Amino acid sequence: MEIPHNVTARPDTGLYNSKIGIWLFLASEVMLFGGLFSGYIFLRLGADFPWPEHMLDVTKGCINTAILILSSVTVVMAWSSLKLRNFRHFQIYMSITLLCALGFCVVKAFEYKAKFTHLSCELSNGLVLEGHDNDDKGEGNDIVYKPSRAVFPIETGEIHFLEAVLPSNEKDAEAKAVVSLKVPVASIDGNKIGVYRGDDKKIKVALGNSEIEMIAAKLKGGDEFKIEDEVIEFTDWSELAKVIDAQRDVKKRFLRAENDRRKYAGTVNQATLAGVTAVPKKLSDSLETTTALAGALQKFFSEELTLLVDTKGEPVSIKPSALRNQDFGWTDKGATLRDGTIIEGEYLQKESKLMLAVDGVDLRRLSPTPGEYDPKIMKQRIEASGFAEQFPTIHAAWEEQFAKYEKKEAEGDHVTSKELYYAKYHGEHGDHAEGHDAGHGESHAAGESLERDFDSHGLPIYEIDRADVRFLSTFTPRLNTYYATYFLITGLHALHVIGGAIVLAYFLFTGRKMYKENPEHLANRVEVGGLFWHFVDLVWIFLFPVLYLL
Amino acid sequence: MAHSTTATEAHTDEHHHDHHDDHNPGFVQKYIFSTDHKMIGIQYGITALCFMLFGFFLMMVMRWSIAYPNQPMPEWLTMFMPEDFLNRWMPVAESTGGRVVDGQVYNMFGAMHGTIMVFLAVVPLGFGAFGNFVTPLQIGAPDMAFPKLNMMSYWIYFLGGVLMFASFFLPTGAASTGWTFYPPLGVLTDYFVGSPWLTGQTWWLLGLVLLITSSLLGSVNVITTIINLRAKGMTWMRMPFFVWGMLVTAFLLLLAFPPLEVAGLMQLSDRVFGSSFFLPTGLSANNEVVNISGGGSPLLYQHLFWFLGHPEVYVLLLPAISIVAEIIPNNTRKPLWGYKSMVYGVLVLGFLSFIVWAHHMYLTGMGSAISTFFQTTTVLISIPSVILLTAMLISLWGGSIRFTVPMLWACAFLPMFGFGGLTGLPLAFNLTDLYLHDTYYVIGHFHYVVAPGVIFGLFAGIYYWYPKATGRQMNTFLGHLHFWPSLIAINVVFMPMMVQGIAGFHRRWYNGGISYEHTAEYLWLNEVISWAVWALAIFQLPFIINFFVSAFFGKKVTSDNPWNATTLEWATPTPPGHGNFTFEPIVYRGPYEYSVPGADKDYTPQWEAPKKDTPKDVVKPDTQAESDEPKA
Amino acid sequence: MASDSPEAIRKSIKLYIIIGAGLLVLTALTVAVSYVHFGSHSMNVAVGLLIACIKASLVGAIFMHLNHEKRLIYIFLVLAGVLFVALMGLFIFSLLDIPGQNLFGY
């Protein structure tokens, strides 16, 4: 069976099937990117922060625009070659198109990579510094503690975040960290119930349904059972995870028993209040049993698990994104991780300090209302923030720029808030060493320069106390809705480029056979693939100005 | 040919490029990775019916919790759930000795009931199953325009469904933030966990993206097929109304789904990459400010979601209404009244459905100008809806109606859908909507449209085209046993909801508590509704039995056109083979030429050539086809 | 289909190259005008988008052959276009209509 109009056009519509198909698909794509652009505009119009403008690498964007335009020309030439029945030319043009696609992706990859390593650091006074982490340890933006305890909320039941923080112990080597947990263990008739380490050194979890039923039965029988605390040491985190799972189950059981107890108690109370003197036997029995069970389970259950952490003096470092909140989520006594785990210990201020090689500053967040930047008030705010004293090199660079644009404004030229209050610093090469030889003080008072050194590009390195950082992020979707939109739209667009390139490559490498059988069919396919390719180009034509320029 | 050995099959496969006209595919190719539109339609249909049953079951559990708060579930509900799942989510409580539905489970089931019913059951059944099975037959095409895309469309849908279903067994359980998935709740639920990828919330979003992809492929296919693969003589105005319905539905899917995909991707990014598309500045959860930049807008999500959400209503509705439009003329034995106005009506309806979405958002504090705009368009859209409904009601007038089982369902569809539509009017106006928003009135309204409306229409379609798909009739007695109790039960389910809703019963209440006091006088209705739901469930058993048993033991149809219908699908052999038609179908007339004055029978099929001056013997289409040698 | 004949295609190859070059020039122009101020930011956006629209229509009309396409395709595109405008327009409308909202503030 042959589907009609696969190759030849249907006379009344004048179109073959896949051409209708691709145009319908493109109509759908119009709505997809239309939705993305509409979302962008919605977020931009409603933004409560200074919207980043002209922030991307225009050169790279320009190169990519040119690459896509070139590839659009070559793909249409490839189609024309097929129509003129010149397979050799088709191969050449299609190869150029694919090389363009590759080039586009490479440029994009470089652009993304630059963003992933670039930091934006909002200080608690509203200054926003941009730069690179200049710590030799490589994990310079982590917050570092010497841990003593970890408090684990049972609800989460996953130790993912705790595990990420603790050093991983290797098998058959000396443990780098030991966690110990105090848990109650009951013994009834020689059976142990609870979590304990067996004689074979393996962790035993005996807290399942059958054990709890046993407890309940013993309680009903009026038996006593002895409970002792046991301290279990863990070096294998998967064992710890198992125990935590068991503890979570107990918590659920306890909460239910407790709920039951309250319900029965309520019913008994109501009965008493209503003047029923003889409370039904069954009810009071149930009350007794559940009360006893709730009491017994409470011994096995605590609101949270407290783990004693011993890392042999080694500090642990916590990534900013793993914190529940960067501003309030940690103190000098401990930090709360995203899942609610609290790491307690001694905060190591020196190790936690952010060494930021600063290459830009945004002062607009000093204003509480985005869009209102009265120069007089802004100057006061900048002065009050201690910008000049703490970040002298960057301040000097900004001041120079500000003076230039202030003058321009006085001459009646239009000046944007970005030109006035956002400054990039490209570094001084050469003689900076003696010019800005900054002190290496251990501590500093407010207002003292934080400048410590210069990196190889001549960018000043500032030592920033973590307590002064409100929000720290790389230039990823986390940073703000602009970058989130940027990554989403360009990411989807890049996926379209890759998808389109795969299809075109398929035509190029397998087209010869079809060309020999039915060249028109191949030409149609290339036309359809080319239409998609042009659409991808067309989207970029809008993306480029919207994201890079406006 | 059916008894070819595996050796010859392998042989055929090797020479696949030779374009065998009468190729004999293996089991996998024929039943699983089939590219035949009829098999794909049946695959869609069975999968969707399974999901519908599953979604229905979730709701049965929810109804228990509403009617009997804090009471343990009976055995006949728990027996359908795996033990592990029960122990994890609904463990036996000491006090009651049974399993009680708690808020988390209720939310999970509620969210998944909506999602499954809308995205995995009704749309795939209406558009996927009927659209695939019937459309190419009705326009006289050998298959869909892109058979391989068609297969991909089904399997992507299947994968999305599996993902949604599997999420029930994740540690966090399935998504629990309503089928609308509003942020910030949708983002922040199960947000503070180790791996956001392994949560039901995230799998819901991933599943949604797959389902959107699937329906995109499906809609491109359907539109292209309708435009380019119509048989000779099948002009636009000779197309059966069902095909028009499918065309408009496909356009709705094609153009309305992408913004939802945008919303889904943005929410996915919020959940796993820490962005703030939908999270405003200063957002706090668990009394702590969340570690995000903020600056996003929850309203953006609602706009993007409802831009799909409202056309989606018509995606649900149009297949059903178009099925009914096929069945009514066939069983009244007279043409569809106002065919042309129905066609224009459905086109206008399709277009208007794109610009009414914000009537779901009156409560978000929108300004009066925009609110007026959306009220106006919402009221406008009732005009084409009423045209469709009225045309079909008038079609009944003066007909010699055959009350076959499909006709019963079709007849029930009309008042039920009408009622659903009319109860929507108070929700179209800002003033009344503010009061009724999120009450059981809303639930009652849209369920009247979707359950006794759309699903009755789809049942009609199943009973109507079953003989064509299987070659056997469904049992009429079981059909009646399915229809009458269902009709009564479903009204007992949804009518009291209107009453409760006006009294202020909130749609998210699940187990009593202090909030129930608010509507204390109407609580007894909860039990009525719940028992009606369970009765409804029982009376689906005749259908399930009928559906499977009739496929093997049903009465064989004696003719290719058992209903004496006029449209092209009845010109094919029963069941239609690969390539559908055994002759080249040529269309000579409009789709509903019933009881044409002067004709020798009360229906004149579209494919029957007009009689010449000297009438020959009436040649049956199939015998005529056999006399023609199939083309090489 | 006259436009698909070999002669017509040979002729249009030259056109493709000219349009390609034109697009590159317009790209340079977009970048250049983004550094010029046209009175207000909205004006700049308008100019930038205008050039983008010109570029897009060139790609659409010449490369995608929309200058001589079948009626059906125009119908699809007009439909998608209208709905896109409705989507974006109503989004903006709904933002502007929130009382007390200060937009375009900066």
Side-chain angles (χ1 to χ4, degrees):
Chain A
M1 174 204 61
E2 198 69 53
I3 307 283
H5 314 301
N6 249 353
V7 184
T8 49
R10 182 184 164 109
D12 59 348
T13 57
L15 295 162
Y16 55 91
N17 294 341
S18 45
K19 194 156 181 183
I20 298 184
I22 193 70
W23 275 110
L24 287 169
F25 180 67
L26 293 183
S28 178
E29 292 278 54
V30 166
M31 292 309 288
L32 179 77
F33 283 98
L36 285 163
F37 279 115
S38 305
Y40 171 85
I41 289 175
F42 196 92
L43 291 171
R44 180 170 183 166
L45 291 182
D48 53 5
F49 58 95
W51 193 259
E53 286 160 14
H54 259 295
M55 291 294 287
L56 302 172
D57 190 335
V58 175
T59 322
K60 286 202 184 93
C62 257
I63 293 172
N64 264 350
T65 312
I67 287 177
L68 278 188
I69 289 172
L70 175 65
S71 73
S72 250
V73 176
T74 54
V75 87
V76 77
M77 300 287 266
W79 169 76
S80 305
S81 312
L82 278 182
K83 278 280 186 190
L84 299 172
R85 302 286 183 266
N86 188 337
F87 194 71
R88 188 85 206 123
H89 280 181
F90 159 73
Q91 283 178 315
I92 293 168
Y93 284 124
M94 201 47 109
S95 307
I96 299 175
T97 311
L98 290 176
L99 284 178
C100 285
L102 183 68
F104 180 89
C105 290
V106 169
V107 173
K108 197 91 241 167
F110 276 108
E111 206 181 322
Y112 277 7
K113 189 167 173 283
K115 300 260 171 310
F116 289 147
T117 53
H118 199 198
L119 281 169
S120 168
C121 171
E122 189 184 343
L123 301 183
S124 36
N125 60 11
L127 281 176
V128 180
L129 298 169
E130 292 170 9
H132 294 88
D133 173 28
N134 199 62
D135 200 300
D136 350 315
K137 282 182 306 199
E139 289 184 13
N141 53 33
D142 291 1
I143 291 174
V144 187
Y145 285 91
K146 205 167 115 190
S148 58
R149 295 203 312 159
V151 181
F152 190 86
I154 301 173
E155 287 87 350
T156 29
E158 287 180 48
I159 61 163
H160 179 93
F161 280 95
L162 186 63
E163 217 180 338
V165 170
L166 294 175
S168 57
N169 290 323
E170 273 158 46
K171 241 189 175 172
D172 305 326
E174 205 192 332
K176 286 184 211 150
V178 180
V179 167
S180 43
L181 171 68
K182 201 166 79 174
V183 282
V185 175
S187 44
I188 303 172
D189 304 340
N191 296 326
K192 273 188 168 181
I193 293 180
V195 180
Y196 57 95
R197 196 177 277 284
D199 299 331
D200 54 353
K201 297 282 165 212
K202 287 208 172 105
I203 299 284
K204 313 274 183 203
V205 178
L207 271 173
N209 279 347
S210 56
E211 283 85 4
I212 285 169
E213 271 160 29
M214 185 151 94
I215 297 178
K218 292 278 165 197
L219 289 166
K220 257 185 206 156
D223 279 15
E224 284 289 312
F225 58 100
K226 212 170 64 185
I227 292 185
E228 282 169 350
D229 279 340
E230 186 163 319
V231 176
I232 314 173
E233 291 196 340
F234 296 91
T235 51
D236 180 355
W237 305 149
S238 61
E239 280 183 344
L240 181 60
K242 205 167 102 187
V243 170
I244 283 165
D245 271 355
Q247 287 290 331
R248 192 186 54 206
D249 288 348
V250 177
K251 180 177 179 180
K252 271 194 193 159
R253 299 296 295 244
F254 167 74
L255 287 178
R256 264 199 323 280
E258 180 63 19
N259 279 343
D260 281 352
R261 190 186 64 73
R262 289 184 190 175
K263 205 177 280 171
Y264 280 125
T267 323
V268 173
N269 278 347
Q270 274 176 2
T272 320
L273 283 176
V276 180
T277 42
V279 177
K281 175 110 183 36
K282 195 179 162 228
L283 200 63
S284 60
D285 270 4
S286 298
L287 177 60
E288 242 168 59
T289 322
T290 49
T291 309
L293 184 64
L297 284 176
Q298 191 172 24
K299 298 206 171 82
F300 288 93
F301 150 77
S302 63
E303 280 292 332
E304 50 229 350
L305 289 182
T306 306
L307 309 164
L308 294 175
V309 180
D310 178 11
T311 55
K312 318 262 158 97
E314 274 300 301
V316 297
S317 41
I318 301 167
K319 293 205 176 336
S321 58
L323 285 171
R324 185 156 263 203
N325 185 286
Q326 294 192 16
D327 203 0
F328 314 111
W330 61 282
T331 64
D332 54 358
K333 296 204 176 54
T336 312
L337 303 186
R338 199 166 138 162
D339 64 345
T341 308
I342 298 167
I343 302 275
E344 288 178 9
E346 186 194 337
Y347 171 57
L348 300 178
Q349 190 187 25
K350 207 173 147 217
E351 280 79 359
S352 306
K353 272 189 173 148
L354 187 63
M355 301 300 280
L356 197 66
V358 175
D359 60 6
V361 64
D362 191 347
L363 302 168
R364 283 172 293 181
R365 288 230 177 175
L366 290 171
S367 160
T369 325
E372 282 176 24
Y373 310 114
D374 185 328
K376 251 190 211 153
I377 304 173
M378 280 304 279
K379 267 185 192 161
Q380 284 169 6
R381 284 184 185 131
I382 291 163
E383 204 166 309
S385 72
F387 179 39
E389 296 81 29
Q390 291 184 331
F391 306 97
T393 310
I394 295 294
H395 180 262
W398 166 74
E399 214 168 24
E400 197 181 318
Q401 178 178 328
F402 182 78
K404 185 174 132 202
Y405 283 102
E406 203 179 27
K407 204 174 133 210
K408 247 179 129 181
E409 193 170 29
E411 287 162 5
D413 281 0
H414 175 81
V415 173
T416 63
S417 66
K418 189 191 160 210
E419 284 162 338
L420 288 172
Y421 301 110
Y422 176 87
K424 277 302 239 185
Y425 182 67
H426 300 292
E428 286 173 47
H429 290 276
D431 59 0
H432 62 260
E434 72 268 23
H436 305 276
D437 195 12
H440 289 261
E442 280 299 301
S443 64
H444 60 272
E448 197 176 315
S449 169
L450 303 177
E451 207 157 299
R452 293 294 173 265
D453 202 351
F454 287 83
D455 76 351
S456 53
H457 302 287
L459 295 174
I461 298 168
Y462 293 101
E463 183 181 306
I464 297 166
D465 200 331
R466 290 308 298 240
D468 293 337
V469 176
R470 187 188 288 163
F471 189 74
L472 180 71
S473 169
T474 46
F475 280 68
T476 47
R478 270 181 68 74
L479 181 57
N480 56 40
T481 49
Y482 169 74
Y483 283 100
T485 320
Y486 161 76
F487 277 103
L488 186 63
I489 304 191
T490 57
L492 271 181
H493 179 264
L495 283 180
H496 278 74
V497 169
I498 293 168
I502 290 172
V503 172
L504 293 181
Y506 175 77
F507 296 157
L508 172 63
F509 295 121
T510 66
R512 185 179 287 278
K513 210 177 105 199
M514 183 178 274
Y515 182 73
K516 280 184 184 146
E517 275 172 18
N518 187 350
E520 192 61 19
H521 197 177
L522 183 64
N524 284 350
R525 284 190 160 194
V526 171
E527 184 183 11
V528 165
L531 281 173
F532 178 75
W533 194 257
H534 295 309
F535 179 78
V536 172
D537 179 26
L538 203 145
V539 168
W540 184 261
I541 282 175
F542 283 102
L543 269 185
F544 175 58
V546 166
L547 290 176
Y548 288 70
L549 301 175
L550 299 174
Chain B
M1 263 197 291
H3 303 289
S4 65
T5 60
T6 39
T8 46
E9 270 172 36
H11 183 77
T12 3
D13 273 6
E14 271 171 42
H15 296 272
H16 208 73
H17 56 270
D18 288 344
H19 296 298
H20 284 285
D21 234 27
D22 49 352
H23 77 293
N24 189 17
F27 177 82
V28 171
Q29 240 183 343
K30 189 168 177 194
Y31 293 109
I32 298 172
F33 294 108
S34 171
T35 53
D36 188 302
H37 73 98
K38 299 177 291 294
M39 184 47 66
I40 294 172
I42 292 168
Q43 286 176 328
Y44 258 118
I46 290 176
T47 320
L49 282 171
C50 290
F51 274 119
M52 193 182 282
L53 194 65
F54 178 56
F56 191 87
F57 172 74
L58 295 179
M59 184 264 298
M60 283 163 64
V61 174
M62 288 156 67
R63 280 313 312 183
W64 177 268
S65 176
I66 298 170
Y68 301 106
N70 291 319
Q71 292 187 35
M73 267 189 289
E75 177 77 2
W76 50 267
L77 276 175
T78 52
M79 63 189 269
F80 294 105
M81 289 182 266
E83 193 72 20
D84 284 354
F85 184 81
L86 281 171
N87 285 338
R88 177 133 119 256
W89 293 101
M90 292 163 267
V92 178
E94 271 81 15
S95 58
T96 51
R99 303 181 184 280
V100 176
V101 177
D102 71 356
Q104 208 177 352
V105 174
Y106 184 89
N107 278 346
M108 188 161 93
F109 279 26
M112 294 312 282
H113 166 74
T115 308
I116 286 172
M117 283 305 197
V118 172
F119 293 115
L120 291 170
V122 177
V123 173
L125 186 58
F127 183 73
F130 289 111
N132 262 313
F133 190 91
V134 181
T135 314
L137 294 177
Q138 280 199 335
I139 58 171
D143 203 320
M144 287 290 217
F146 311 111
K148 279 185 194 144
L149 278 191
N150 208 8
M151 180 185 79
M152 269 167 68
S153 161
Y154 171 74
W155 283 105
I156 293 174
Y157 154 71
F158 187 79
L159 197 65
V162 166
L163 206 59
M164 294 254 185
F165 181 73
S167 68
F168 275 96
F169 303 102
L170 286 174
T172 56
S176 57
T177 51
W179 84 281
T180 50
F181 227 71
Y182 278 175
L185 187 66
V187 176
L188 291 188
T189 305
D190 295 334
Y191 184 68
F192 303 103
V193 293
S195 168
W197 286 105
L198 277 181
T199 57
Q201 299 286 105
T202 307
W203 283 27
W204 189 93
L205 292 166
L206 293 173
L208 191 73
V209 170
L210 288 177
L211 295 178
I212 294 170
T213 313
S214 153
S215 59
L216 169 67
L217 296 179
S219 55
V220 166
N221 222 335
V222 165
I223 300 173
T224 311
T225 307
I226 294 175
I227 288 173
N228 240 21
L229 262 53
R230 278 169 292 130
K232 209 169 161 190
M234 179 63 89
T235 57
W236 289 105
M237 281 302 161
R238 279 183 186 169
M239 287 198 321
F241 185 74
F242 180 85
V243 179
W244 277 109
M246 282 300 140
L247 186 67
V248 174
T249 310
F251 266 107
L252 296 184
L253 284 172
L254 185 79
L255 299 174
F257 255 125
L260 180 71
E261 188 157 18
V262 170
L265 290 171
M266 283 177 169
Q267 187 147 183
L268 201 60
S269 161
D270 278 4
R271 283 189 63 80
V272 298
F273 301 125
S275 59
S276 309
F277 283 111
F278 303 135
L279 305 178
T281 309
L283 181 71
S284 66
N286 310 327
N287 296 324
E288 280 177 275
V289 183
V290 184
N291 185 3
I292 46 156
S293 67
S297 166
L299 268 186
L300 173 61
Y301 178 86
Q302 296 197 18
H303 278 297
L304 288 170
F305 181 87
W306 288 115
F307 186 82
L308 157 96
H310 205 80
E312 178 76 10
V313 172
Y314 294 92
V315 170
L316 298 170
L317 177 66
L318 287 179
I321 215 168
S322 333
I323 288 168
V324 171
E326 290 299 297
I327 292 171
I328 284 181
N330 177 261
N331 287 290
T332 53
R333 314 306 291 166
K334 63 194 267 287
L336 192 62
W337 192 89
Y339 167 80
K340 272 195 179 174
S341 45
M342 281 182 75
V343 168
Y344 294 127
V346 80
L347 293 174
V348 172
L349 184 82
F351 179 76
L352 279 178
S353 73
F354 280 98
I355 48 169
V356 297
W357 79 82
H359 64 222
H360 296 267
M361 298 166 57
Y362 287 146
L363 215 59
T364 60
M366 57 201 324
S368 53
I370 186 107
S371 166
T372 309
F373 173 84
F374 280 111
Q375 289 181 61
T376 314
T377 52
T378 306
V379 176
L380 268 182
I381 203 171
S382 62
I383 297 172
S385 314
V386 168
I387 290 175
L388 295 182
L389 196 63
T390 317
M392 287 199 286
L393 279 174
I394 298 175
S395 297
L396 297 175
W397 189 264
S400 53
I401 302 178
R402 306 185 306 202
F403 281 105
T404 58
V405 178
M407 186 58 177
L408 288 177
W409 290 100
C411 286
F413 168 88
L414 297 178
M416 292 294 102
F417 166 64
F419 189 78
L422 287 175
T423 50
L425 283 177
L427 300 173
F429 296 102
N430 195 327
L431 196 68
T432 38
D433 179 71
L434 293 186
Y435 173 70
L436 293 169
H437 193 95
D438 264 355
T439 64
Y440 261 74
Y441 183 85
V442 178
I443 302 271
H445 151 66
F446 73 74
H447 278 90
Y448 253 109
V449 176
V450 178
V454 171
I455 295 181
F456 275 27
L458 297 176
F459 275 137
I462 293 174
Y463 282 99
Y464 184 64
W465 280 299
Y466 193 87
K468 183 48 65 183
T470 62
R472 289 168 190 273
Q473 285 280 14
M474 285 176 100
N475 184 296
T476 311
F477 173 73
L478 287 175
H480 279 267
L481 193 62
H482 178 204
F483 171 72
W484 293 105
S486 293
L487 178 66
I488 295 165
I490 212 157
N491 277 291
V492 180
V493 172
F494 296 118
M495 196 64 82
M497 286 191 183
M498 301 288 179
V499 179
Q500 284 189 322
I502 291 172
F505 198 83
H506 193 274
R507 68 189 284 191
R508 312 262 178 225
W509 289 348
Y510 77 101
N511 77 338
I514 194 75
S515 49
Y516 264 37
E517 292 305 310
H518 184 55
T519 50
E521 282 174 50
Y522 300 93
L523 286 183
W524 63 277
L525 286 172
N526 277 333
E527 288 181 48
V528 174
I529 296 172
S530 294
W531 281 105
V533 164
W534 300 322
L536 186 61
I538 286 174
F539 286 106
Q540 302 313 301
L541 289 178
F543 171 71
I544 296 170
I545 295 167
N546 204 351
F547 188 83
F548 289 105
V549 173
S550 298
F552 302 102
F553 305 106
K555 200 174 74 187
K556 275 198 174 167
V557 290
T558 47
S559 133
D560 283 337
N561 190 357
W563 305 112
N564 290 343
T566 51
T567 44
L568 267 179
E569 75 268 33
W570 305 104
T572 59
T574 310
H578 194 61
N580 295 343
F581 291 89
T582 46
F583 62 101
E584 198 202 336
I586 298 171
V587 176
Y588 297 101
R589 55 182 68 78
Y592 305 111
E593 306 252 321
Y594 289 103
S595 307
V596 180
D600 49 3
K601 50 188 192 302
D602 74 341
Y603 66 104
T604 321
Q606 285 187 285
W607 65 88
E608 225 170 70
K611 264 179 260 161
K612 302 274 158 56
D613 297 324
T614 50
K616 287 179 201 166
D617 294 347
V618 178
V619 189
K620 271 197 169 177
D622 48 342
T623 51
Q624 176 196 348
E626 270 163 22
S627 63
D628 284 350
E629 275 298 309
K631 280 174 201 159
Chain C
M1 279 164 278
S3 59
D4 274 11
S5 63
E7 301 79 54
I9 286 172
R10 260 190 214 100
K11 253 186 231 161
S12 49
I13 284 178
K14 211 171 154 192
L15 180 67
Y16 295 145
I17 293 167
I18 294 170
I19 294 297
L23 287 171
L24 288 177
V25 172
L26 282 173
T27 306
L29 185 68
T30 324
V31 177
V33 296
S34 79
Y35 293 97
V36 180
H37 188 75
F38 291 101
S40 76
H41 187 76
S42 316
M43 245 345 252
N44 266 39
V45 173
V47 171
L49 287 182
L50 181 72
I51 300 176
C53 285
I54 295 171
K55 285 167 72 181
S57 16
L58 284 177
V59 171
I62 309 298
F63 290 165
M64 300 171 94
H65 307 126
L66 280 180
N67 52 355
H68 57 270
E69 203 38 277
K70 301 292 173 296
R71 204 174 117 237
L72 208 55
I73 302 229
Y74 293 131
I75 295 176
F76 296 162
L77 288 179
V78 166
L79 190 61
V82 167
L83 292 179
F84 165 57
V85 169
L87 177 75
M88 192 179 273
L90 288 171
F91 272 29
I92 297 171
F93 183 16
S94 74
L95 259 185
L96 293 177
D97 195 38
I98 296 175
Q101 177 116 336
N102 177 24
L103 289 179
F104 310 110
Y106 56 93

